[in-house]
Amino acid sequence: MPALLPPLQLTGAQTLRNVGLSDQPVALAEGKISEHFERSVDLSGYLVLPGIVDMMACPPQSGSADIDAQGVLHEAAVRGACQGVTTQYLSHAWRPPETDGAPSASHVMVEAWQEARPTLMTDVRVLLEIDHGLATEHRQIMDLIASTGIDLVAFSNGAQRADHVPRTLNSRTNARRPNVTMLLDHPSHVHRSLLTLVGLFDGLGVTYGSTGDTSAETREHHSMLGASLCIAPRSTKAAAAARAVNDPVVLSASDIVEQLRTGTLGKSNPIGADALVSDNDIGALARVALALTNAGVLDLGRAWALISENPARLLGLSDRGSLTPGQRADLTVVNQETDTVEATICAGRLSYLTGQAGSRFMDVPVSRAVAAE
């Protein structure tokens, strides 16, 4: 893990504040946004923006049949840092033990996450996806959540996904098919298990929602359960059903990329989302926010809030998402000429550095653990 940067201020850049872009320097000390310091780094020609908060990212695919969970986690952290991500939730589908008495694949993965987390250059967390067909295993699921500090859960309905062909939205698939027979034959049993889970989530303060909703009915069911976050819905009707009851809608960035490409963004509510997630394209978040600004769809403050301030607020992460003094020093540094991320600072540590920004930081003590190109 990189060492903390010494107290310094970033000068010359355009910085994104609550009132919009400003030429006011950003000072850092002890891992937080702070006040003025004498030592400075000239970032003229750059944007200094709040670090990206990615609510749902797909883990990197391992090329080995024998998956090294810690290797995947470290790769995810580096990959996120290179794209300006400072907080990243990796999606993981709950998997029960294959045999009685054996640890579940989910326990193995989450234990690897707990062990690796202090060494990761990005704040990597786990989004646990629970298919309806597996909700009856609520005791094992809650044991995992309570013992490891998982703070974000999303329900999914794989039985409906299996029969649904998405119109435009993303093409993610579950790692494990649900027990469709259980869903068809014992819906009340499954529903009781879902209610048990949400009651336990509320008691632990876990944030929960749904992912991959394929219809308005599915979204309404999740909303009635209290799973208000509508993450990466697979149909426009599901997203509309969430908006109708003021549930937050979190779209996959790839959906916005497609709408920008085809010119189908609406005029009255051009995005129709409270936040964006990378889903299966970790580099899409910064690109989409900047593209929305360049296309004149949103100003930079509103566009960047979709990937920083808004997801932080929805997740209850009150210590990040803005450049306000006292917040975590999570920053994304973008070259204004090329619109590329050239530096990422996570909790006051340089986690990524490349291009011209690298020469600007030459006089600042930086650990060699920084991800670089």
Side-chain angles (χ1 to χ4, degrees):
M1 163 144 342
L4 277 173
L5 288 168
L8 56 82
Q9 62 178 353
L10 308 178
T11 63
Q14 291 287 294
T15 62
L16 186 58
R17 305 284 184 164
N18 293 336
V19 295
L21 286 174
S22 165
D23 57 4
Q24 180 181 355
V26 177
L28 319 176
E30 300 299 323
K32 295 184 181 297
I33 305 294
S34 188
E35 304 297 336
H36 172 82
F37 288 101
E38 291 300 323
R39 178 182 299 204
S40 65
V41 174
D42 180 13
L43 287 180
S44 300
Y46 286 86
L47 295 169
V48 175
L49 309 166
I52 296 173
V53 178
D54 190 359
M55 194 183 298
M56 186 175 75
C58 289
Q61 295 298 312
S62 172
S64 169
D66 186 18
I67 296 175
D68 177 2
Q70 289 213 16
V72 169
L73 290 163
H74 280 279
E75 182 180 346
V78 171
R79 186 182 64 168
C82 293
Q83 301 297 337
V85 176
T86 52
T87 304
Q88 180 183 62
Y89 283 80
L90 290 183
S91 61
H92 173 78
W94 161 257
R95 300 181 183 92
E98 295 185 3
T99 59
D100 291 340
S104 71
S106 294
H107 277 87
V108 172
M109 194 286 294
V110 174
E111 287 173 3
W113 164 64
Q114 284 189 297
E115 183 176 345
R117 191 176 182 187
T119 68
L120 300 177
M121 59 181 59
T122 302
D123 184 2
V124 175
R125 302 182 181 214
V126 174
L127 161 61
L128 185 65
E129 295 188 31
I130 303 172
D131 195 274
H132 286 197
L134 302 174
T136 53
E137 297 161 5
H138 53 81
R139 289 185 179 84
Q140 296 178 67
I141 292 170
M142 288 311 303
D143 173 67
L144 177 69
I145 292 173
S147 63
T148 59
I150 290 173
D151 60 351
L152 180 60
V153 172
F155 293 121
S156 61
N157 191 342
Q160 288 198 6
R161 286 193 195 184
D163 297 326
H164 178 76
V165 179
R167 225 168 62 180
T168 56
L169 302 174
N170 69 69
S171 58
R172 297 174 67 252
T173 57
N174 279 351
R176 170 179 168 145
R177 286 289 300 277
N179 186 333
V180 176
T181 302
M182 177 187 294
L183 287 175
L184 296 177
D185 294 346
H186 304 289
S188 61
H189 191 189
V190 172
H191 186 68
R192 285 195 298 271
S193 296
L194 292 170
L195 289 174
T196 298
L197 283 170
V198 300
L200 294 169
F201 295 160
D202 288 338
L204 289 175
V206 173
T207 300
Y208 55 99
S210 66
T211 183
D213 290 336
T214 60
S215 67
E217 292 76 17
T218 303
R219 170 84 292 264
E220 288 164 359
H221 178 215
H222 285 136
S223 184
M224 288 188 290
L225 286 170
S228 60
L229 279 176
C230 178
I231 306 172
R234 285 192 160 202
S235 77
T236 54
K237 289 183 178 179
R243 285 192 288 270
V245 293
N246 294 319
D247 281 347
V249 176
V250 182
L251 293 182
S252 172
S254 60
D255 298 336
I256 306 303
V257 170
E258 179 64 15
Q259 292 179 58
L260 281 169
R261 186 186 69 81
T262 58
T264 54
L265 285 173
K267 293 183 179 179
S268 60
N269 185 14
I271 302 303
D274 297 275
L276 301 177
V277 294
S278 69
D279 202 2
N280 55 5
D281 184 0
I282 189 66
L285 289 174
R287 288 201 312 269
V288 167
L290 295 170
L292 288 169
T293 301
N294 293 337
V297 178
L298 296 174
D299 62 54
L300 182 61
R302 290 178 62 197
W304 201 261
L306 292 169
I307 61 173
S308 57
E309 181 181 359
N310 292 2
R313 173 176 50 79
L314 293 173
L315 295 168
L317 302 176
S318 59
D319 63 341
R320 65 199 74 186
S322 74
L323 301 183
T324 305
Q327 293 267 289
R328 269 174 52 115
D330 288 352
L331 297 90
T332 302
V333 179
V334 174
N335 186 311
Q336 285 184 283
E337 183 177 346
T338 63
D339 274 354
T340 56
V341 174
E342 290 195 8
T344 305
I345 299 173
C346 182
R349 294 175 168 84
L350 263 171
S351 56
Y352 176 64
L353 190 61
T354 192
Q356 296 179 27
S359 63
R360 308 287 183 96
F361 280 90
M362 283 188 63
D363 294 331
V364 179
V366 178
S367 165
R368 292 185 180 180
V370 172
E373 292 183 341

